[in-house]
Amino acid sequence: MRRFTLIAIPYFWLLALFLVPFLIVLKISLSDTALAIPPYMPSLDLSEGWAGFMAFLTELDFENFVWLTEDDLYWKAYLSSLQIAFFSTVLTLIVGYPIAYAMARAPEEWRPTLLMLVILPFWTSFLIRVYSWMGILSQEGYLNQALMSLGLISEPLIILNTNIAVYIGIVYTYLPFMILPIYAALEKLDGSLLEAAEDLGCSRASAFWLVTIPLSKQGIIAGCFLVFIPTIGEFVIPSLLGGSQTLMIGKVLSEEFFSNRDWPVASAVAIILLLILVIPIILFQRNEQKQREAEK
Amino acid sequence: MRKLTWFNVTSLTLGFAFLYLPMVILVIYSFNASKLVTVWAGFSTKWYAELFQNQAFLDAAWVTLRVAVVSSTFATILGTMAAYVMVRAGRFYGRTLFSGMIYAPLVMPEVITGLSLLLLFIGIGLDRGILTIVLAHTTFSMCYVSVVVSSRLVSFDQSLEEAALDLGCSPWQAFRLVTLPIIAPAVISGWLLAFTLSLDDLVIASFTSGPSATTLPMKIWSSVRLGVNPQINALSTIMIAIVTVGVITASLISKRASVRALEDEQAAART
């Protein structure tokens, strides 16, 4: 009995506040837009019993999904989200790997401090960290001021409200997610393997490519997914740093919902976003499983 | 011992400069006297004074704090229960669904979590306000708590619990007297994580709150959309200071506690 209560409480909480809301989104994505409150049709009427339920089912259709494929705004938004997520993941890897590498090579007594310095920004407000770039990148911002006083440029660069600012924002905020798993993999790396490679005639660089990179592969993969997955649905960064030409699906979804009040289309956008995310999530899970098995 | 090469020193310096410079600039310019945020015009604390007179910000901060304390406490209780169920309860009907529901919110885009909860609250006719934000925050942070707590539960020696049961403890007593003290550091860090997630959340709160409740991130959001603002710089500085002090203290405490817990466990295992 006690065991039942222990299982039941978190179970029903999650059913009621995670699974049911998700099913509601699924249902509304199959409904039609209507000028009513709530603004969609049909609504489930259980007073007519089974017949009412069947009538309800027949009124659901995939119209919104068809509509999403016809209007190229949505295609472009999905593609550009994937593109921005992909390139910013690559950029974060390029920036993060040398930092993780240097941390793993640092004297042992420094490492806890370095680790804390990487984790600290994670606890600081995400919104504030994104906001801090607005003052740096704007036309009369600190970056332009610095570059102009150094005489490197004569006219201010336009960075804020472009995709470049979005990339900078993503790399900045997600960098800890890339550094930590790579650092974890590199820290375990046995230094004698590198010495062996060098003794056997490898140059330093080829030892790095042939030994260090393959042995930190799991960390690289984990880090890339940890950046890629949340970036696709990102809303705050494109809204604050991006411009009107920055199309990202998280932004489109909330505009569809709040500005156009088109709930069925917003729900359909959400369902497709999830379908896109399923593939990287499954790959990520597999990678984690492999890692766990390798550790056993 | 290995020495750092110049390449490693450079990447550490540049890396940490990149991570910290934007925040340092923010802190410095929060003491700028000029209203033009990018032009330095002498030291002043007037933006702090203005901030503390801004009732809207103070109200929002109070809402945020209440939501964070309540939701992280519920999330810790529910998340610890969920972790215990996942690690200890063995097989039961619907276990796969349960673990799916624990992990799915971790990867769910915030816009979708927010949208789905909003549609639920509208569907059941619940008035949106502090209560709905608390429900939303509890739900997504309990999943983070359960991941943190279950990793600790997996690593500890189950025979200690069995010994307590053999010696006549009820399951609840065994949990309270043996398990809970051992997993306490993880439960505390779970609470802190849930608390920070709640303090920080903008997207889910904007979806699930009504006109009666505005949280601090929502307030910050609506003012920074118009551009850089010196009062927000002052507010950010205060928040950065609180987090820095908090994280350093918490890491010192948890380091001491985990060392002690490990020693206790080893001592118990030896005797």
Side-chain angles (χ1 to χ4, degrees):
Chain A
M1 191 57 219
R2 205 180 257 125
R3 180 170 173 270
F4 177 78
T5 327
L6 181 67
I7 298 174
I9 295 173
Y11 205 119
F12 283 108
W13 183 284
L14 286 172
L15 276 183
L17 286 150
F18 178 73
L19 195 64
V20 170
F22 178 68
L23 293 176
I24 295 176
V25 173
L26 190 62
K27 188 246 137 184
I28 293 181
S29 75
L30 300 172
S31 310
D32 294 328
T33 314
L35 282 174
I37 296 170
Y40 57 86
M41 291 263 293
S43 44
L44 183 54
D45 185 7
L46 286 177
S47 59
E48 284 169 47
W50 186 243
F53 182 69
M54 291 311 285
F56 165 77
L57 273 191
T58 55
E59 275 187 64
L60 296 178
D61 53 46
F62 289 94
E63 219 168 76
N64 298 306
F65 292 93
V66 175
W67 198 66
L68 287 191
T69 59
E70 281 165 1
D71 191 331
D72 56 345
L73 165 77
Y74 300 101
W75 274 120
K76 282 186 186 150
Y78 284 118
L79 283 179
S80 107
S81 301
L82 283 170
Q83 193 189 344
I84 290 177
F86 177 78
F87 285 118
S88 40
T89 305
V90 174
L91 281 173
T92 316
L93 178 62
I94 294 169
V95 176
Y97 198 95
I99 303 175
Y101 184 81
M103 282 171 64
R105 286 309 175 87
E108 213 151 312
E109 65 271 20
W110 289 15
R111 287 186 206 161
T113 315
L114 292 175
L115 203 56
M116 193 158 89
L117 283 174
V118 174
I119 296 170
L120 190 63
F122 169 77
W123 294 90
T124 320
S125 167
F126 183 80
L127 187 55
I128 286 175
R129 282 189 293 146
V130 177
Y131 163 73
S132 69
W133 283 94
M134 290 175 72
I136 297 174
L137 300 176
S138 68
Q139 263 197 60
E140 60 281 3
Y142 313 123
L143 182 67
N144 275 322
Q145 282 180 22
L147 291 176
M148 285 187 19
S149 64
L150 289 172
L152 290 172
I153 51 171
S154 53
E155 272 181 28
L157 301 170
I158 296 170
I159 306 174
L160 190 66
N161 302 328
T162 66
N163 282 354
I164 300 172
V166 175
Y167 285 122
I168 295 175
I170 294 173
V171 172
Y172 180 66
T173 45
Y174 287 99
L175 194 58
F177 292 98
M178 184 63 88
I179 295 179
L180 293 174
I182 296 178
Y183 168 75
L186 285 174
E187 208 211 358
K188 278 184 291 190
L189 196 138
D190 188 350
S192 58
L193 290 174
L194 286 174
E195 281 166 28
E198 279 174 39
D199 286 348
L200 293 170
C202 263
S203 70
R204 266 241 164 116
S206 57
F208 175 77
W209 287 109
L210 294 172
V211 180
T212 310
I213 292 278
L215 285 175
S216 58
K217 202 179 86 191
Q218 302 277 317
I220 296 175
I221 296 174
C224 285
F225 279 121
L226 286 176
V227 176
F228 185 74
I229 294 170
T231 309
I232 297 178
E234 186 54 57
F235 166 75
V236 175
I237 298 172
S239 310
L240 277 189
L241 301 179
S244 50
Q245 89 283 18
T246 310
L247 263 184
M248 283 192 82
I249 203 68
K251 212 172 118 188
V252 171
L253 194 157
S254 59
E255 272 163 17
E256 205 63 64
F257 190 85
F258 288 112
S259 312
N260 299 349
R261 287 190 55 80
D262 195 336
W263 295 11
V265 169
S267 303
V269 169
I271 297 290
I272 295 196
L273 173 55
L274 275 184
L275 290 178
I276 291 175
L277 281 174
V278 163
I279 301 161
I281 289 169
I282 290 175
L283 291 175
F284 175 63
Q285 288 276 335
R286 256 199 217 149
N287 180 58
E288 293 286 287
Q289 201 137 24
K290 242 200 245 164
Q291 207 167 340
R292 245 173 282 146
E293 274 160 19
E295 271 164 21
K296 267 177 199 166
Chain B
M1 205 185 76
R2 285 169 301 203
K3 263 199 177 133
L4 276 176
T5 59
W6 69 266
F7 176 77
N8 288 343
V9 173
T10 320
S11 48
L12 279 182
T13 319
L14 288 180
F16 285 108
F18 177 62
L19 275 176
Y20 283 92
L21 211 52
M23 284 191 266
V24 171
I25 293 175
L26 200 64
V27 170
I28 294 172
Y29 275 83
S30 75
F31 295 103
N32 184 4
S34 163
K35 190 166 173 57
L36 290 168
V37 262
T38 48
V39 183
W40 182 258
F43 181 87
S44 152
T45 51
K46 70 174 177 191
W47 304 115
Y48 290 88
E50 270 189 28
L51 183 69
F52 283 107
Q53 276 155 14
N54 190 330
Q55 197 56 41
F57 274 115
L58 295 179
D59 289 343
W62 179 229
V63 169
T64 310
L65 208 59
R66 276 186 296 167
V67 168
V69 169
V70 177
S71 71
S72 56
T73 307
F74 277 120
T76 307
I77 296 169
L78 286 164
T80 307
M81 285 171 90
Y84 203 78
V85 169
M86 292 285 294
V87 180
R88 290 278 192 274
R91 287 172 178 280
F92 58 90
Y93 190 71
R95 193 178 196 283
T96 320
L97 177 65
F98 186 70
S99 67
M101 289 193 300
I102 295 279
Y103 288 107
L106 303 180
V107 289
M108 191 72 112
E110 285 174 317
V111 277
I112 299 184
T113 311
L115 175 73
S116 66
L117 283 164
L118 170 61
L119 293 174
L120 171 81
F121 295 143
I122 292 173
I124 58 175
L126 194 59
D127 268 344
R128 279 171 290 146
I130 289 186
L131 174 67
T132 48
I133 309 177
V134 167
L135 289 174
H137 282 184
T138 305
T139 308
F140 83 88
S141 26
M142 73 176 272
C143 302
Y144 285 89
V145 174
S146 84
V147 169
V148 173
V149 173
S150 63
S151 69
R152 182 84 187 103
L153 271 176
V154 168
S155 71
F156 103 72
D157 190 356
Q158 209 178 331
S159 58
L160 293 175
E161 232 171 57
E162 283 159 12
L165 291 172
D166 285 348
L167 293 170
C169 273
S170 71
W172 168 242
Q173 277 177 320
F175 177 77
R176 197 165 47 94
L177 298 172
V178 178
T179 315
L180 195 58
I182 294 177
I183 62 169
V187 174
I188 294 169
S189 33
W191 188 88
L192 285 171
L193 182 60
F195 185 75
T196 332
L197 287 169
S198 172
L199 278 189
D200 204 16
D201 168 64
L202 165 74
V203 179
I204 295 172
S206 331
F207 271 99
T208 53
S209 85
S212 64
T214 305
T215 65
L216 200 53
M218 288 163 71
K219 193 76 198 126
I220 296 175
W221 173 255
S222 58
S223 50
V224 302
R225 289 215 70 167
L226 307 170
V228 184
N229 167 331
Q231 273 189 38
I232 300 288
N233 289 357
L235 179 63
S236 309
T237 304
I238 296 173
M239 288 168 75
I240 291 170
I242 294 173
V243 167
T244 312
V245 172
V247 168
I248 292 172
T249 323
S251 76
L252 291 177
I253 291 172
S254 80
K255 207 167 142 193
R256 277 229 315 265
S258 65
V259 168
R260 208 183 316 131
L262 198 68
E263 283 168 1
D264 286 354
E265 218 173 306
Q266 282 164 350
R270 267 199 303 275
T271 46

